Amino acid sequence: MSAIKDIEASTDSVDELVSFPNIVTVESISLDGFSVCKSVNIPGIVGITGPDGLYISNMPALTSLSFPALNSIASIAVISDDVGVNSLLSSVDLPVLHIIASDTYCRRNPLLQSFNAPVWVPNNHTTIDFSNNSLSTTSVQQILRRCVLAGVTTCVIKLSGGTNSGVASLNAQGHADVVTLGAQLTINP
């Protein structure tokens, strides 16, 4: 197992990024502008250690993103942004992600229904922006629950816009979480 400095790519020469099997940590991952890449699955990476974090943007054919072993991101995580849209992205799977030390931007992915990070512990004093997606009720409730369980009180949490599930679709626990998060939360009705 080894560590490398960065994985950075911005080319149109691949359909699918499948594996970097011998890499355990990287300083950053930046994938930008793959117009034909359909899925990203990087199974071996457990940590992103540098200040540039994770950046996935401007990949209009991308439908799924999976980091099955990723445990921590030492800085920011950006999946799409105000410049590039991942217009077909429907699922993000981070099953063992525990820490994103800074802001989380997973926004402007109009078909994103599933965001799975069941052990994620959000930090106070950060922005958690999932605006303008199509998140399912299950995904919205998971994000709310993770924020409440982490005890965040000083975040900016955005779950509004797009066709994200809103308050009307939540179960009793989801409603309680909305109340607990209070003014730091914006969510669809």
Side-chain angles (χ1 to χ4, degrees):
M1 305 285 183
S2 65
I4 64 169
K5 184 171 178 176
D6 300 303
I7 295 175
E8 183 171 346
S10 55
T11 182
D12 231 0
S13 62
V14 297
D15 273 344
E16 185 172 6
L17 296 178
V18 177
S19 179
F20 295 92
N22 297 320
I23 300 171
V24 175
T25 61
V26 295
E27 284 193 15
S28 68
I29 296 176
S30 176
L31 302 174
D32 185 9
F34 283 89
S35 66
V36 297
C37 182
K38 296 175 184 153
S39 69
V40 174
N41 179 11
I42 304 179
I45 294 177
V46 298
I48 301 174
T49 61
D52 293 329
L54 174 66
Y55 183 81
I56 310 286
S57 186
N58 199 25
M59 298 178 68
L62 184 67
T63 60
S64 66
L65 178 64
S66 178
F67 290 88
L70 184 60
N71 180 277
S72 64
I73 301 173
S75 60
I76 193 168
V78 176
I79 301 170
S80 194
D81 62 12
D82 288 333
V83 177
V85 174
N86 302 319
S87 55
L88 296 179
L89 183 63
S90 63
S91 69
V92 175
D93 190 29
L94 306 164
V96 299
L97 180 68
H98 186 73
I99 297 168
I100 301 174
S102 185
D103 298 331
T104 302
Y105 296 96
C106 185
R107 61 186 180 197
R108 294 191 65 213
N109 301 291
L111 298 181
L112 182 62
Q113 294 180 339
S114 175
F115 179 83
N116 181 44
V119 297
W120 171 44
V121 180
N123 290 319
N124 269 318
H125 310 292
T126 62
T127 297
I128 300 166
D129 188 347
F130 286 87
S131 61
N132 297 306
N133 295 314
S134 294
L135 292 174
S136 69
T137 300
T138 300
S139 293
V140 168
Q141 289 184 159
Q142 184 183 95
I143 293 164
L144 294 171
R145 193 79 206 126
R146 299 313 309 158
C147 290
V148 168
L149 291 173
V152 298
T153 58
T154 58
C155 287
V156 174
I157 305 165
K158 297 179 182 179
L159 289 165
S160 59
T163 58
N164 283 342
S165 294
V167 173
S169 68
L170 302 178
N171 64 19
Q173 183 63 62
H175 283 277
D177 291 345
V178 167
V179 170
T180 299
L181 294 169
Q184 64 184 333
L185 172 67
T186 56
I187 187 169
N188 286 342

